[in-house]
Amino acid sequence: MRTQVAIVGAGPAGLLLGHLLHRAGIDNVVVERHDRRYAEERIRAGVLEQGTIDTLDEAGVGERLHREGLPHAGIELLFDRHRHRIDLAALSGGRAIVVYGQHEVVKDLIAARVASGRPLLFESSDVAVHDVDTDHPSVTCVHDGEPTTIDCDYIAGCDGFHGICRAAVPDGAIRTFDRVYPFAWLGILAEAAPSAHELVYANHERGFALFSMRSEKITRLYLQCAPDEDLAAWSDDRIWSELHRRLETDDGWTVNEGPIVQKGVTPMRSFVCEPMQYGRLYLAGDSAHIVPPTGAKGMNLAVADVRALSKALIARYASNDDTRLAAYSQTCLKRVWRAEHYSWWMTSMLHRFPDSTPFMDRVQRSELAYVTSSEAGSRVIAENYVGLPFDE
Ligand code: RFL
Ligand code: PHB
């Protein structure tokens, strides 16, 4: 099989790239290791930045997100039993966020892909990339039991943090930057009406907690836990009791309980590889960088990467102009490092570190008091949370 761009991975990055290229008339094939159901049901991110919403709108896949997503104009930080609101819209010139599950974005993109008639090869095994440092790269895999070769001009590595694309770059051709945190998040989905309209990020002496939601009927909650936490040790009762303690406020606000329909543990790390390209292989999304989820940036960065990559490939095919392709990594890394700092900073301000000292606890408390009382402090949170404008 021959195509212009071979895309490895059908997460938000790979699917959106495939769709943006399709709309520009650029032929592409998407190869995915898992089946459609896995892609559509994997519960992950929930916060879409303004720029992500704009990109999905421009790509013609924003209709359901506007109908079913929950627009939010603020978030709250909870500490010392009080909630403090950050007015995102007022502090960022009217930008805001929408809460809409990543798997819903994926469903919308898969539907658009199927309608386009272009190939999306689910359940492909033994996926490998070849000759990426030549002008005739290829991807091989086994699909429907048949060994398959996809000859192409370019390869997009959109296969997540544990994928094969970054691993195919020879040692020494990329540099990596890494930080692993001494905690993780235990996340649940509960069939319970959210008891507040906005997200609540809590710093508590027993550890961080986050109140979020997916719909008027589903609450999404997270608790800071150990990196190697054993889920079996967490009965539903224990989870609720810990959530109530960490999210308790003096004004009597409390989370609503309901049947827990999903539980999982998410490790926390920061990671960047530089450059995000080797030869004709371009990395996008989690395959090139990871942020801890505290800043809600991961999927948004994946969307920003493929927005830049699609524009670069369109310029290349439309007018044989390689300038944007050559600048791809540099363009993306500027935004990536901003998000890396913000996610690290929010994580540091809101979590309990096992090696913390009474001095560091007081410093953290002072920082929270400052960012929630000073307009300048609140603005730093707001403008980063809603996402900075694209540098185009
Ligand atoms: P994905 O979503 O990991 O998709 C990669 C795809 O590649 C496939 N794959 C392969 N395919 C073929 N051959 C191989 N060898 C392959 N290896 C892997 C995989 O099966 C998969 O389908 O990466 P992508 O597209 O870069 O998207 C990144 C986002 O998924 C990620 O950054 C976010 O989920 C992070 N994240 C959040 N991001 C936000 O913007 N806002 C949030 O509120 C937010 N909250 C979160 C999060 C991530 C979380 N977890 C579980 C890590 C909350 C959590 C709890
Ligand atoms: C979520 O709703 O899953 C969510 C929201 C905000 C975050 C991370 C995850 O920072």
Side-chain angles (χ1 to χ4, degrees), residues 34-151:
H34 288 102
D35 61 13
R36 178 169 179 173
R37 204 175 144 169
Y38 172 92
E40 292 190 335
E41 292 184 0
R42 201 167 56 137
I43 303 295
R44 294 187 87 179
V47 173
L48 308 188
E49 290 176 358
Q50 184 75 59
T52 298
I53 300 161
D54 295 345
T55 306
L56 294 170
D57 278 341
E58 287 162 28
V61 286
E63 190 267 328
R64 195 165 67 94
L65 117 75
H66 287 288
R67 198 157 28 89
E68 296 179 16
L70 307 170
H72 285 209
I75 55 169
E76 294 190 314
L77 302 189
L78 189 170
F79 56 96
D80 292 341
R81 304 174 61 88
H82 287 278
R83 290 187 283 161
H84 305 258
R85 183 165 191 265
I86 307 281
D87 191 332
L88 298 175
L91 291 165
S92 69
R95 291 164 78 83
I97 55 148
V98 167
V99 173
Y100 185 67
Q102 174 172 326
H103 65 292
E104 304 294 350
V105 174
V106 165
K107 277 186 209 162
D108 296 342
L109 287 167
I110 291 177
R113 180 73 184 185
V114 170
S116 78
R118 297 212 192 256
L120 166 47
L121 312 182
F122 282 114
E123 297 182 77
S124 296
S125 57
D126 303 327
V127 179
V129 300
H130 310 275
D131 304 320
V132 296
D133 53 350
T134 71
D135 58 7
H136 51 269
S138 63
V139 173
T140 54
C141 64
V142 176
H143 180 67
D144 275 346
E146 293 286 320
T148 305
T149 299
I150 306 161
D151 295 306

Side-chain angles (χ1 to χ4, degrees), residues 77-80 201-205 207-209 246 348-352 364-365 368:
L77 302 189
L78 189 170
F79 56 96
D80 292 341
Y201 290 82
N203 174 313
H204 189 274
E205 63 194 23
F208 170 81
R246 296 190 195 180
S348 307
M349 184 165 63
L350 288 163
H351 290 73
R352 288 276 121 169
Q364 201 183 46
R365 199 59 22 136
L368 282 164

Side-chain angles (χ1 to χ4, degrees), residues 145-202:
E146 293 286 320
T148 305
T149 299
I150 306 161
D151 295 306
C152 56
D153 302 329
Y154 297 98
I155 299 175
C158 302
D159 52 347
F161 184 65
H162 299 287
I164 51 103
C165 289
R166 191 181 68 251
V169 178
D171 286 346
I174 48 172
R175 181 167 177 206
T176 60
F177 302 81
D178 205 4
R179 183 184 188 93
V180 176
Y181 298 84
F183 40 74
W185 281 11
L186 192 165
I188 63 159
L189 267 188
E191 285 174 351
S195 60
H197 178 63
E198 293 179 340
L199 273 66
V200 181
Y201 290 82

Side-chain angles (χ1 to χ4, degrees), residues 44 46-47 185 199 201 210 212 214 220 222 293-294 296:
R44 294 187 87 179
V47 173
W185 281 11
L199 273 66
Y201 290 82
L210 171 60
S212 178
R214 283 295 176 276
R220 175 84 166 138
Y222 297 95
T294 328

Side-chain angles (χ1 to χ4, degrees), residues 301-365:
L301 279 181
V303 167
D305 286 354
V306 299
R307 181 181 169 103
L309 186 53
S310 67
K311 287 184 190 292
L313 288 165
I314 291 167
R316 158 73 183 76
Y317 283 111
S319 46
N320 208 17
D321 177 0
D322 277 342
T323 328
R324 276 177 183 256
L325 267 184
Y328 169 72
S329 180
Q330 212 187 339
T331 305
C332 292
L333 284 168
K334 208 170 142 197
R335 188 180 193 83
V336 167
W337 277 112
R338 181 86 292 289
E340 289 288 343
H341 167 262
Y342 181 66
S343 306
W344 163 84
W345 176 61
M346 289 284 278
T347 301
S348 307
M349 184 165 63
L350 288 163
H351 290 73
R352 288 276 121 169
F353 284 73
D355 61 353
S356 188
T357 59
F359 174 82
M360 287 311 296
D361 292 347
R362 287 285 195 278
V363 165
Q364 201 183 46
R365 199 59 22 136

